[in-house]
Amino acid sequence: MLSIYKTDTATVYPCTKLSGTLVVPGDKSVSHRVGILASISSGISRVNGFLNSADCIGLLKAMEALGARTHRSREGDLYIHGTGGRLIEPAGPLDLGNSGTAMRLLAGLLAGVPGAFTLTGDASLQARPMRRIEEPLRKMGARIQLSGDRGCAPMLIKGGGLQAIDYELPVASAQVKSCIMLAALFAEGTTTIIEPAPTRDHTERIFEALQLPMTIDGASIAIEGFGSSGPSLQARTWDVPGDISSAAFWLVAAAVMKGSVTLQRVGLNPRRTAVLDVLKRMGAKVKVTPAKTANSGAEPVGEIRVSAARLRGTVIEGAEIPNLIDEIPILAVAGALAEGETVIKDAHELRVKESDRIQTMCENLKRMGVEVDEMDDGMRIGGPANLRTGGAVSSYGDHRVAMSMAILGLFSDAPLTIKGVDCIETSYPGFWNHLRELGGHVE
Ligand code: S3P
């Protein structure tokens, strides 16, 4: 009998040169938002560059359970047949896998829709804090029950009948902001949200593209609600840019390794590009060429070219943190490869991501022989590391930890085994092929 073994383990081999041109997969945050808004529009939206990863496929499955339909053309473009805002009660719980974005954004949408909905996910998602969305949604009048441990999913929502609120976010979180923005569309009155620090603004850009009634004034966003019938949105074409968070793995690798890497069609939303500022500050040779023509997704895109340089340590802190929150694991790797000390602080939020990224990255870096001190809100890394070779590390089920360690493995002088790499599928299908295309070797 033929059987196929899937090991969930990868061995990365040392590498001396990386070069080539890549188009990284679509932005995960933009794909989630477009998937949701196209599903409540009338008509068929075409989505170019939608991220075909486990998280986003899970989101589409949930939207289908709520009444939308999707299909792909032979060329791979995604078409979403919207519900015109008439969502149906699904037969069972909506399983959102590993995706915190899907859970928090959908909770906001469904809080406004009459019916009962249960949102759940994998063990990691069921350990992530949901009170941060429960509180504002309850204030708006939603009936929400968190039946997991200590304020976690599964989450039961009985939606409908929302009232506008004025809400100051206690954490700088684009997921919480976007959750309230979606709920606000279904509320009576004008909801005002105030952010403690700027976070990614993909939802605002999409609302603007859809001409939804929204006023942004500094840190405050005001949205006029449509009441329980919700807005009337028309289908359209969306372009999803490449994900700078996925590009970041190659940016760091190519910033140190001989050769040069060009990444095309990458999203250059200024609320997502702090990773480029940090790498430049560390001495990286980075050239950004913004595209001249705007795409139809309301997001700036362009090309990024990186070539080898000597990096030096830096401090990453304060308002910069929300704009590179998902790049911190790979920036910790950059810190390990740089000359001198790199300090990451004000990053408590890392403790409640797909894993506790402060703990899991410190653990893995130490295992590789990197001098690293774990702090409550970040870490201190002494570079350049004398990498201990021939070892094994774990992803702890976290896609960005897995990919960050794969990049560090390239700089080792013996193969590095990473356990638990299937999770990379949640955000970057094709990661290993891209590594091979640039000249890396992995088994
Ligand atoms: C996301 C926002 C960030 C980020 C996550 C995606 C989004 O989370 O870490 O991967 O799509 O809004 P927070 O906003 O909770 O920090």
Short mmCIF file of all heavy atoms in Angstrom, two decimals, residues 209-266:
data_model
loop_
_atom_site.label_atom_id
_atom_site.label_comp_id
_atom_site.label_asym_id
_atom_site.label_seq_id
_atom_site.Cartn_x
_atom_site.Cartn_y
_atom_site.Cartn_z
N ALA A 209 -12.48 53.39 -0.06
CA ALA A 209 -12.70 52.93 -1.44
C ALA A 209 -14.16 52.62 -1.67
O ALA A 209 -14.68 52.78 -2.78
CB ALA A 209 -11.83 51.71 -1.72
N LEU A 210 -14.86 52.17 -0.64
CA LEU A 210 -16.29 51.84 -0.77
C LEU A 210 -17.18 53.05 -0.50
O LEU A 210 -18.40 52.93 -0.47
CB LEU A 210 -16.64 50.70 0.19
CG LEU A 210 -16.06 49.32 -0.15
CD1 LEU A 210 -16.22 48.35 1.01
CD2 LEU A 210 -16.71 48.76 -1.41
N GLN A 211 -16.53 54.18 -0.26
CA GLN A 211 -17.23 55.46 0.01
C GLN A 211 -18.19 55.35 1.20
O GLN A 211 -19.29 55.88 1.18
CB GLN A 211 -17.96 55.93 -1.24
CG GLN A 211 -16.96 56.21 -2.34
CD GLN A 211 -17.62 56.68 -3.62
OE1 GLN A 211 -18.72 56.25 -3.96
NE2 GLN A 211 -16.94 57.55 -4.33
N LEU A 212 -17.75 54.65 2.21
CA LEU A 212 -18.55 54.56 3.43
C LEU A 212 -18.38 55.86 4.22
O LEU A 212 -17.32 56.49 4.16
CB LEU A 212 -18.09 53.35 4.26
CG LEU A 212 -18.60 52.02 3.67
CD1 LEU A 212 -17.82 50.83 4.22
CD2 LEU A 212 -20.08 51.86 3.93
N PRO A 213 -19.41 56.28 4.96
CA PRO A 213 -19.33 57.58 5.65
C PRO A 213 -18.43 57.52 6.87
O PRO A 213 -18.82 57.04 7.93
CB PRO A 213 -20.80 57.85 6.04
CG PRO A 213 -21.46 56.52 6.02
CD PRO A 213 -20.71 55.63 5.10
N MET A 214 -17.21 58.00 6.69
CA MET A 214 -16.19 57.90 7.75
C MET A 214 -15.39 59.20 7.77
O MET A 214 -15.04 59.73 6.72
CB MET A 214 -15.28 56.71 7.40
CG MET A 214 -14.08 56.55 8.29
SD MET A 214 -13.04 55.19 7.73
CE MET A 214 -12.47 55.81 6.17
N THR A 215 -15.11 59.70 8.98
CA THR A 215 -14.27 60.89 9.09
C THR A 215 -13.09 60.55 9.98
O THR A 215 -13.27 60.08 11.10
CB THR A 215 -15.07 62.05 9.76
OG1 THR A 215 -16.32 62.14 9.10
CG2 THR A 215 -14.34 63.36 9.67
N ILE A 216 -11.90 60.81 9.46
CA ILE A 216 -10.69 60.55 10.26
C ILE A 216 -10.09 61.89 10.64
O ILE A 216 -9.87 62.75 9.79
CB ILE A 216 -9.68 59.71 9.46
CG1 ILE A 216 -10.32 58.37 9.08
CG2 ILE A 216 -8.40 59.47 10.27
CD1 ILE A 216 -9.46 57.45 8.26
N ASP A 217 -9.86 62.04 11.96
CA ASP A 217 -9.29 63.30 12.44
C ASP A 217 -8.19 62.94 13.44
O ASP A 217 -8.49 62.59 14.58
CB ASP A 217 -10.41 64.13 13.09
CG ASP A 217 -9.90 65.47 13.56
OD1 ASP A 217 -8.73 65.80 13.27
OD2 ASP A 217 -10.66 66.18 14.25
N GLY A 218 -6.96 62.96 12.99
CA GLY A 218 -5.85 62.54 13.85
C GLY A 218 -6.05 61.10 14.28
O GLY A 218 -6.19 60.21 13.44
N ALA A 219 -6.10 60.88 15.60
CA ALA A 219 -6.22 59.51 16.12
C ALA A 219 -7.66 59.04 16.20
O ALA A 219 -7.93 57.95 16.68
CB ALA A 219 -5.58 59.45 17.50
N SER A 220 -8.60 59.89 15.74
CA SER A 220 -10.00 59.50 15.92
C SER A 220 -10.67 59.16 14.58
O SER A 220 -10.46 59.82 13.55
CB SER A 220 -10.72 60.62 16.70
OG SER A 220 -11.81 61.08 16.00
N ILE A 221 -11.47 58.11 14.60
CA ILE A 221 -12.18 57.65 13.40
C ILE A 221 -13.67 57.64 13.74
O ILE A 221 -14.08 56.97 14.70
CB ILE A 221 -11.77 56.20 13.05
CG1 ILE A 221 -10.26 56.10 12.90
CG2 ILE A 221 -12.48 55.70 11.79
CD1 ILE A 221 -9.75 54.67 12.89
N ALA A 222 -14.47 58.38 12.99
CA ALA A 222 -15.91 58.41 13.24
C ALA A 222 -16.62 57.74 12.07
O ALA A 222 -16.33 58.02 10.90
CB ALA A 222 -16.39 59.84 13.41
N ILE A 223 -17.54 56.82 12.39
CA ILE A 223 -18.25 56.08 11.34
C ILE A 223 -19.75 56.20 11.58
O ILE A 223 -20.23 55.87 12.66
CB ILE A 223 -17.83 54.59 11.35
CG1 ILE A 223 -16.35 54.49 10.97
CG2 ILE A 223 -18.68 53.76 10.41
CD1 ILE A 223 -15.72 53.19 11.31
N GLU A 224 -20.44 56.65 10.55
CA GLU A 224 -21.91 56.75 10.66
C GLU A 224 -22.51 55.38 10.40
O GLU A 224 -22.22 54.75 9.38
CB GLU A 224 -22.45 57.70 9.58
CG GLU A 224 -22.41 59.15 9.96
CD GLU A 224 -22.78 60.00 8.76
OE1 GLU A 224 -23.78 59.70 8.07
OE2 GLU A 224 -22.02 60.95 8.49
N GLY A 225 -23.35 54.91 11.32
CA GLY A 225 -23.94 53.59 11.17
C GLY A 225 -25.15 53.59 10.24
O GLY A 225 -25.75 54.64 10.00
N PHE A 226 -25.47 52.42 9.72
CA PHE A 226 -26.65 52.25 8.85
C PHE A 226 -27.77 51.53 9.58
O PHE A 226 -28.77 51.16 8.97
CB PHE A 226 -26.25 51.45 7.61
CG PHE A 226 -25.30 52.16 6.70
CD1 PHE A 226 -23.93 52.14 6.94
CD2 PHE A 226 -25.77 52.89 5.61
CE1 PHE A 226 -23.05 52.80 6.11
CE2 PHE A 226 -24.89 53.56 4.77
CZ PHE A 226 -23.52 53.52 5.02
N GLY A 227 -27.58 51.24 10.88
CA GLY A 227 -28.59 50.46 11.60
C GLY A 227 -28.51 49.00 11.20
O GLY A 227 -27.62 48.59 10.44
N SER A 228 -29.46 48.20 11.69
CA SER A 228 -29.30 46.74 11.53
C SER A 228 -29.39 46.25 10.10
O SER A 228 -28.97 45.14 9.80
CB SER A 228 -30.29 45.99 12.43
OG SER A 228 -31.55 46.54 12.23
N SER A 229 -29.87 47.11 9.16
CA SER A 229 -29.86 46.64 7.75
C SER A 229 -28.45 46.70 7.17
O SER A 229 -28.16 46.04 6.17
CB SER A 229 -30.83 47.48 6.92
OG SER A 229 -30.44 48.83 7.04
N GLY A 230 -27.57 47.46 7.78
CA GLY A 230 -26.18 47.55 7.29
C GLY A 230 -26.08 48.36 6.02
O GLY A 230 -27.08 48.83 5.47
N PRO A 231 -24.85 48.56 5.51
CA PRO A 231 -24.66 49.38 4.31
C PRO A 231 -25.01 48.59 3.04
O PRO A 231 -25.00 47.37 3.06
CB PRO A 231 -23.16 49.67 4.34
CG PRO A 231 -22.57 48.49 5.05
CD PRO A 231 -23.59 48.01 6.04
N SER A 232 -25.28 49.32 1.96
CA SER A 232 -25.48 48.68 0.65
C SER A 232 -24.18 48.82 -0.12
O SER A 232 -23.87 49.92 -0.58
CB SER A 232 -26.49 49.46 -0.16
OG SER A 232 -27.72 49.16 0.14
N LEU A 233 -23.46 47.76 -0.26
CA LEU A 233 -22.16 47.84 -0.93
C LEU A 233 -22.25 47.15 -2.29
O LEU A 233 -22.93 46.13 -2.43
CB LEU A 233 -21.10 47.15 -0.08
CG LEU A 233 -20.95 47.67 1.36
CD1 LEU A 233 -19.95 46.82 2.12
CD2 LEU A 233 -20.51 49.12 1.35
N GLN A 234 -21.54 47.73 -3.25
CA GLN A 234 -21.54 47.13 -4.59
C GLN A 234 -20.24 46.37 -4.81
O GLN A 234 -19.17 46.82 -4.40
CB GLN A 234 -21.66 48.23 -5.67
CG GLN A 234 -23.00 48.94 -5.68
CD GLN A 234 -24.18 47.97 -5.68
OE1 GLN A 234 -24.22 47.02 -6.47
NE2 GLN A 234 -25.14 48.20 -4.78
N ALA A 235 -20.34 45.24 -5.49
CA ALA A 235 -19.15 44.44 -5.81
C ALA A 235 -18.19 45.27 -6.67
O ALA A 235 -18.62 46.19 -7.37
CB ALA A 235 -19.58 43.20 -6.58
N ARG A 236 -16.92 44.96 -6.60
CA ARG A 236 -15.92 45.66 -7.41
C ARG A 236 -14.68 44.79 -7.52
O ARG A 236 -14.65 43.67 -6.99
CB ARG A 236 -15.58 47.03 -6.80
CG ARG A 236 -15.32 47.00 -5.30
CD ARG A 236 -14.68 48.24 -4.80
NE ARG A 236 -13.25 48.20 -5.13
CZ ARG A 236 -12.47 49.27 -5.17
NH1 ARG A 236 -12.96 50.46 -4.91
NH2 ARG A 236 -11.19 49.17 -5.45
N THR A 237 -13.65 45.33 -8.18
CA THR A 237 -12.40 44.59 -8.27
C THR A 237 -11.45 45.08 -7.19
O THR A 237 -11.36 46.29 -6.95
CB THR A 237 -11.76 44.81 -9.67
OG1 THR A 237 -12.65 44.26 -10.63
CG2 THR A 237 -10.41 44.13 -9.80
N TRP A 238 -10.79 44.14 -6.54
CA TRP A 238 -9.81 44.50 -5.51
C TRP A 238 -8.45 43.93 -5.91
O TRP A 238 -8.38 42.79 -6.39
CB TRP A 238 -10.20 43.87 -4.16
CG TRP A 238 -11.48 44.38 -3.60
CD1 TRP A 238 -12.69 43.76 -3.66
CD2 TRP A 238 -11.67 45.61 -2.87
NE1 TRP A 238 -13.64 44.53 -3.02
CE2 TRP A 238 -13.04 45.66 -2.53
CE3 TRP A 238 -10.83 46.64 -2.48
CZ2 TRP A 238 -13.59 46.72 -1.81
CZ3 TRP A 238 -11.37 47.70 -1.77
CH2 TRP A 238 -12.74 47.74 -1.44
N ASP A 239 -7.39 44.70 -5.67
CA ASP A 239 -6.03 44.18 -5.84
C ASP A 239 -5.40 44.07 -4.47
O ASP A 239 -5.32 45.07 -3.75
CB ASP A 239 -5.18 45.17 -6.66
CG ASP A 239 -5.51 45.10 -8.13
OD1 ASP A 239 -5.93 44.02 -8.59
OD2 ASP A 239 -5.34 46.13 -8.82
N VAL A 240 -4.95 42.88 -4.12
CA VAL A 240 -4.28 42.70 -2.83
C VAL A 240 -2.77 42.77 -3.08
O VAL A 240 -2.24 42.04 -3.91
CB VAL A 240 -4.65 41.32 -2.22
CG1 VAL A 240 -3.91 41.09 -0.91
CG2 VAL A 240 -6.15 41.20 -2.03
N PRO A 241 -2.08 43.67 -2.38
CA PRO A 241 -0.62 43.77 -2.60
C PRO A 241 0.10 42.58 -1.96
O PRO A 241 -0.48 41.88 -1.14
CB PRO A 241 -0.25 45.06 -1.88
CG PRO A 241 -1.28 45.23 -0.82
CD PRO A 241 -2.54 44.60 -1.34
N GLY A 242 1.37 42.38 -2.31
CA GLY A 242 2.18 41.36 -1.63
C GLY A 242 2.38 41.76 -0.17
O GLY A 242 2.37 42.96 0.17
N ASP A 243 2.54 40.77 0.68
CA ASP A 243 2.58 41.02 2.13
C ASP A 243 4.00 41.39 2.58
O ASP A 243 4.93 40.58 2.49
CB ASP A 243 2.12 39.76 2.87
CG ASP A 243 1.69 40.06 4.29
OD1 ASP A 243 2.30 40.95 4.92
OD2 ASP A 243 0.76 39.40 4.77
N ILE A 244 4.15 42.61 3.08
CA ILE A 244 5.49 43.04 3.53
C ILE A 244 5.96 42.19 4.71
O ILE A 244 7.17 42.00 4.91
CB ILE A 244 5.53 44.56 3.84
CG1 ILE A 244 6.98 45.02 3.97
CG2 ILE A 244 4.72 44.90 5.09
CD1 ILE A 244 7.18 46.52 3.91
N SER A 245 5.02 41.61 5.46
CA SER A 245 5.42 40.75 6.57
C SER A 245 6.05 39.46 6.05
O SER A 245 6.91 38.87 6.71
CB SER A 245 4.21 40.39 7.45
OG SER A 245 3.64 41.57 7.97
N SER A 246 5.63 38.99 4.87
CA SER A 246 6.26 37.82 4.25
C SER A 246 7.57 38.23 3.58
O SER A 246 8.57 37.51 3.64
CB SER A 246 5.32 37.19 3.22
OG SER A 246 4.15 36.74 3.87
N ALA A 247 7.56 39.42 2.96
CA ALA A 247 8.78 39.93 2.32
C ALA A 247 9.90 40.08 3.35
O ALA A 247 11.09 39.90 3.04
CB ALA A 247 8.50 41.28 1.67
N ALA A 248 9.52 40.37 4.60
CA ALA A 248 10.51 40.69 5.64
C ALA A 248 11.54 39.57 5.85
O ALA A 248 12.69 39.85 6.18
CB ALA A 248 9.80 40.99 6.96
N PHE A 249 11.12 38.32 5.62
CA PHE A 249 12.09 37.21 5.82
C PHE A 249 13.24 37.34 4.82
O PHE A 249 14.40 37.16 5.16
CB PHE A 249 11.38 35.86 5.69
CG PHE A 249 10.28 35.72 6.72
CD1 PHE A 249 8.96 35.83 6.38
CD2 PHE A 249 10.62 35.56 8.06
CE1 PHE A 249 7.96 35.75 7.34
CE2 PHE A 249 9.63 35.49 9.03
CZ PHE A 249 8.29 35.58 8.67
N TRP A 250 12.89 37.67 3.57
CA TRP A 250 13.94 37.79 2.55
C TRP A 250 14.70 39.10 2.72
O TRP A 250 15.89 39.18 2.41
CB TRP A 250 13.32 37.69 1.14
CG TRP A 250 12.38 36.53 1.06
CD1 TRP A 250 11.05 36.58 0.73
CD2 TRP A 250 12.67 35.16 1.35
NE1 TRP A 250 10.51 35.32 0.81
CE2 TRP A 250 11.48 34.43 1.18
CE3 TRP A 250 13.82 34.47 1.74
CZ2 TRP A 250 11.39 33.06 1.38
CZ3 TRP A 250 13.74 33.09 1.95
CH2 TRP A 250 12.55 32.41 1.77
N LEU A 251 14.02 40.13 3.20
CA LEU A 251 14.70 41.42 3.42
C LEU A 251 15.83 41.23 4.40
O LEU A 251 16.96 41.70 4.19
CB LEU A 251 13.72 42.47 3.97
CG LEU A 251 12.55 42.88 3.08
CD1 LEU A 251 11.65 43.87 3.80
CD2 LEU A 251 13.08 43.48 1.79
N VAL A 252 15.56 40.52 5.49
CA VAL A 252 16.60 40.33 6.51
C VAL A 252 17.69 39.41 5.98
O VAL A 252 18.89 39.70 6.12
CB VAL A 252 15.97 39.80 7.83
CG1 VAL A 252 17.06 39.33 8.80
CG2 VAL A 252 15.10 40.89 8.47
N ALA A 253 17.29 38.31 5.34
CA ALA A 253 18.31 37.38 4.83
C ALA A 253 19.23 38.10 3.85
O ALA A 253 20.47 38.03 3.97
CB ALA A 253 17.63 36.19 4.16
N ALA A 254 18.61 38.85 2.91
CA ALA A 254 19.41 39.48 1.86
C ALA A 254 20.18 40.69 2.37
O ALA A 254 21.16 41.12 1.75
CB ALA A 254 18.50 39.91 0.71
N ALA A 255 19.76 41.23 3.52
CA ALA A 255 20.48 42.39 4.07
C ALA A 255 21.85 41.96 4.60
O ALA A 255 22.73 42.80 4.77
CB ALA A 255 19.66 43.04 5.19
N VAL A 256 22.02 40.67 4.88
CA VAL A 256 23.27 40.20 5.48
C VAL A 256 24.04 39.30 4.51
O VAL A 256 25.25 39.37 4.38
CB VAL A 256 22.99 39.45 6.80
CG1 VAL A 256 24.31 39.05 7.48
CG2 VAL A 256 22.15 40.30 7.75
N MET A 257 23.29 38.44 3.81
CA MET A 257 23.93 37.42 2.96
C MET A 257 24.41 38.01 1.64
O MET A 257 23.79 38.91 1.10
CB MET A 257 22.85 36.36 2.68
CG MET A 257 23.27 35.23 1.81
SD MET A 257 23.77 33.77 2.71
CE MET A 257 22.49 33.38 3.82
N LYS A 258 25.50 37.46 1.09
CA LYS A 258 26.00 37.88 -0.22
C LYS A 258 24.90 37.76 -1.27
O LYS A 258 24.10 36.85 -1.20
CB LYS A 258 27.19 36.99 -0.61
CG LYS A 258 28.34 37.74 -1.21
CD LYS A 258 29.57 36.90 -1.30
CE LYS A 258 29.43 35.95 -2.48
NZ LYS A 258 30.44 34.90 -2.49
N GLY A 259 24.88 38.64 -2.25
CA GLY A 259 23.87 38.58 -3.30
C GLY A 259 22.88 39.72 -3.16
O GLY A 259 23.08 40.62 -2.33
N SER A 260 21.83 39.67 -3.96
CA SER A 260 20.80 40.69 -3.78
C SER A 260 19.44 40.13 -4.19
O SER A 260 19.34 39.30 -5.08
CB SER A 260 21.16 41.96 -4.56
OG SER A 260 20.51 41.96 -5.79
N VAL A 261 18.42 40.56 -3.48
CA VAL A 261 17.08 40.02 -3.69
C VAL A 261 16.13 41.18 -4.01
O VAL A 261 16.18 42.23 -3.36
CB VAL A 261 16.60 39.26 -2.43
CG1 VAL A 261 15.13 38.88 -2.54
CG2 VAL A 261 17.46 38.01 -2.21
N THR A 262 15.29 40.98 -5.02
CA THR A 262 14.29 41.99 -5.39
C THR A 262 12.90 41.40 -5.15
O THR A 262 12.61 40.27 -5.56
CB THR A 262 14.45 42.37 -6.88
OG1 THR A 262 15.78 42.86 -7.05
CG2 THR A 262 13.47 43.46 -7.28
N LEU A 263 12.08 42.17 -4.46
CA LEU A 263 10.72 41.72 -4.17
C LEU A 263 9.76 42.66 -4.88
O LEU A 263 9.82 43.88 -4.69
CB LEU A 263 10.49 41.73 -2.65
CG LEU A 263 11.50 40.86 -1.91
CD1 LEU A 263 11.57 41.20 -0.44
CD2 LEU A 263 11.19 39.39 -2.10
N GLN A 264 8.90 42.09 -5.71
CA GLN A 264 8.03 42.93 -6.53
C GLN A 264 6.61 42.98 -5.98
O GLN A 264 6.17 42.03 -5.34
CB GLN A 264 7.98 42.37 -7.96
CG GLN A 264 9.32 42.48 -8.66
CD GLN A 264 9.31 41.82 -10.02
OE1 GLN A 264 8.62 40.84 -10.22
NE2 GLN A 264 10.09 42.37 -10.94
N ARG A 265 5.92 44.09 -6.27
CA ARG A 265 4.49 44.24 -5.96
C ARG A 265 4.21 44.09 -4.46
O ARG A 265 3.20 43.54 -4.05
CB ARG A 265 3.69 43.20 -6.74
CG ARG A 265 2.37 43.65 -7.30
CD ARG A 265 1.64 42.52 -8.00
NE ARG A 265 1.40 41.37 -7.14
CZ ARG A 265 0.43 41.27 -6.27
NH1 ARG A 265 -0.43 42.25 -6.14
NH2 ARG A 265 0.29 40.21 -5.52
N VAL A 266 5.17 44.58 -3.64
CA VAL A 266 4.99 44.48 -2.18
C VAL A 266 4.14 45.67 -1.71
O VAL A 266 4.32 46.80 -2.18
CB VAL A 266 6.36 44.53 -1.46
CG1 VAL A 266 6.17 44.34 0.05
CG2 VAL A 266 7.30 43.49 -2.01
#
